[in-house]
Amino acid sequence: MKFPSSKPLSCSYIIIFSILLVFNIFHNTTGITARLPNNETVPAVIIFGDSIVDTGNNNYIETVVKCDFPPYGRDFNGGKPTGRFSNGKVAADFLAEIFGVKKILPAYLDPNLQLQDLLTGVSFASGGAGYDPLTAKIVKIKEAVGESRTATILSKSIFIVCAGSNDIANTYFSTPFRIAHYDIPGYTDLMVRSATSFLQELHGLGARRIGVLSSPSIGCVPSQRTLAGGILRGCSESANQAAILFNSKLSSQLDSFNKRLPDARLVYLDIYNPLLAIIQNPSQYGFQEANKGCCGTGKIEVSILCTSFSPETCTNASEYVFWDSYHPSEQTSKILTPIVLDDYIYKFF
């Protein structure tokens, strides 16, 4: 999430109390899907990360990084904003659907969340989150589960972590706090160390099937083209090179994890190249516009800068790769999510 003149966001950890009793009391075993190898069962999809997979948690956090107002959500069920940084569904919803769990993934902080909703997963993601401790922090599990039945359920659930773009685009390139002290190799090392710590915590809590998305081609999102792409609004090569370097280090770290933890499946999910392919060849995927978002001018509007008063907002967001200047449209998430998973889904099992 990006603002041209925002201060670094601070967000204290949100403590997630143990879901042990919920699973033990209410769990059922439905949900096998033909999409999964070997007729595997996935009890739940649990997601951590940033605004790309936030399904509404920021509605209930004190932050300026919000989207609980029109035109966000205009193509969602009922046409109302839900706190998703999109015109409709986000990748978290499509991930839950692909794994055969449910079509809408609720936000953990939604006060209307029912105990039964936890059975098939929630999103803990928060817009503005990242791996860097200076970036608004990933909402994290803090309490372990203890009983064997719950541990088994957690070990068969799919955990997805999606973060890194805010660290690169915002914390590093848009504030003076890191760039003055780290070069890009050093900063990406810091990101990987923080990612490693978080993944170790998830494993310690019983997660065994963990998918970790790479950083996207962040230099090619509309806001970064505007801020760092020159007069022609080309892709920011420095941001993309930072993403490529981080992704290489992250992939190697996950390989190391899998060698050390034979009971786990940590799966690197490349989103950089599939998204870049859509941006470079939008017409092949049914899009007409890839260099600007649908909302307003599409060049800088995002979150509180993207409102129902924004001029020039498009009428058909499905023609645009991006909904606002930072986030993909629902149609992009719908196309991109299965592309990312297709080559890797078997590695979870």
Side-chain angles (χ1 to χ4, degrees):
M1 153 74 248
K2 171 68 186 167
F3 290 101
S5 60
S6 63
K7 295 188 294 183
L9 297 169
S10 62
C11 177
S12 60
Y13 289 149
I14 294 179
I15 307 247
I16 310 300
F17 291 103
S18 171
I19 52 178
L20 172 64
L21 292 179
V22 175
F23 277 127
N24 283 343
I25 295 172
F26 292 104
H27 177 66
N28 63 61
T29 57
T30 61
I32 297 177
T33 170
R35 292 175 182 265
L36 305 182
N38 304 319
N39 292 321
E40 287 278 357
T41 300
V42 173
V45 171
I46 301 169
I47 295 185
F48 300 86
D50 56 25
S51 55
I52 302 300
V53 287
D54 184 354
T55 58
N57 285 304
N58 271 26
N59 293 354
Y60 313 103
I61 296 174
E62 287 197 19
T63 173
V64 295
V65 189
K66 290 184 181 292
C67 61
D68 54 345
F69 44 80
Y72 286 96
R74 73 179 193 186
D75 299 315
F76 196 77
N77 296 341
K80 65 178 183 178
T82 62
R84 288 168 170 80
F85 289 81
S86 173
N87 59 300
K89 292 182 180 180
V90 295
D93 301 305
F94 292 114
L95 283 163
E97 185 173 359
I98 286 171
F99 280 107
V101 174
K102 52 189 172 186
K103 293 186 177 181
I104 300 294
L105 196 71
Y108 177 77
L109 294 181
D110 186 342
N112 297 315
L113 187 75
Q114 301 297 310
L115 290 180
Q116 288 283 354
D117 292 327
L118 291 174
L119 299 179
T120 48
V122 291
S123 172
F124 294 105
S126 172
Y131 290 123
D132 183 341
L134 283 186
T135 309
K137 300 173 179 62
I138 296 175
V139 178
K140 300 172 75 173
I141 287 180
K142 303 298 284 186
E143 292 193 1
V145 296
E147 294 189 14
S148 61
R149 184 182 177 195
T150 300
T152 299
I153 293 166
L154 291 178
S155 71
K156 289 185 175 294
S157 295
I158 298 293
F159 290 76
I160 300 291
V161 180
C162 172
S165 59
N166 288 311
D167 298 318
I168 293 170
N170 298 338
T171 306
Y172 187 75
F173 283 109
S174 298
T175 75
F177 301 104
R178 292 302 195 193
I179 200 168
H181 303 286
Y182 292 88
D183 58 12
I184 290 176
Y187 186 68
T188 52
D189 284 343
L190 182 151
M191 289 174 62
V192 170
R193 287 195 299 270
S194 296
T196 298
S197 176
F198 182 70
L199 294 172
Q200 287 175 333
E201 183 176 2
L202 279 182
H203 182 268
L205 295 177
R208 293 297 180 267
R209 297 169 171 173
I210 306 172
V212 186
L213 275 82
S214 73
S215 174
S217 40
I218 190 64
C220 294
V221 305
S223 65
Q224 298 309 299
R225 289 176 179 269
T226 301
L227 295 170
I231 193 169
L232 297 179
R233 296 185 67 251
C235 295
S236 169
E237 291 305 318
S238 57
N240 277 350
Q241 288 302 313
I244 290 170
L245 183 57
F246 168 71
N247 291 342
S248 175
K249 293 176 179 180
L250 177 65
S251 179
S252 295
Q253 184 61 47
L254 294 181
D255 287 341
S256 177
F257 262 122
N258 284 321
K259 291 176 182 177
R260 295 200 319 267
L261 304 171
D263 64 332
R265 299 287 186 272
L266 283 90
V267 182
Y268 175 80
L269 301 172
D270 174 30
I271 193 174
Y272 184 100
N273 290 297
L275 177 59
L276 186 61
I278 293 174
I279 292 171
Q280 292 176 337
N281 302 284
S283 61
Q284 293 185 15
Y285 298 88
F287 297 107
Q288 296 184 15
E289 179 58 65
N291 294 344
K292 62 181 182 179
C294 168
C295 186
T297 66
K299 297 178 180 179
I300 200 66
E301 294 90 341
V302 61
S303 187
I304 59 173
L305 300 179
C306 169
T307 72
S308 56
F309 301 104
S310 298
E312 302 178 42
T313 297
C314 77
T315 57
N316 186 2
S318 65
E319 296 177 347
Y320 285 67
V321 174
F322 294 95
W323 160 245
D324 57 22
S325 70
Y326 198 85
H327 303 98
S329 65
E330 177 185 62
Q331 183 67 10
T332 300
S333 294
K334 183 178 181 179
I335 292 172
L336 184 61
T337 306
I339 291 175
V340 170
L341 276 181
D342 274 351
D343 291 335
Y344 302 100
I345 197 166
Y346 73 94
K347 292 186 177 183
F348 286 97
F349 305 102

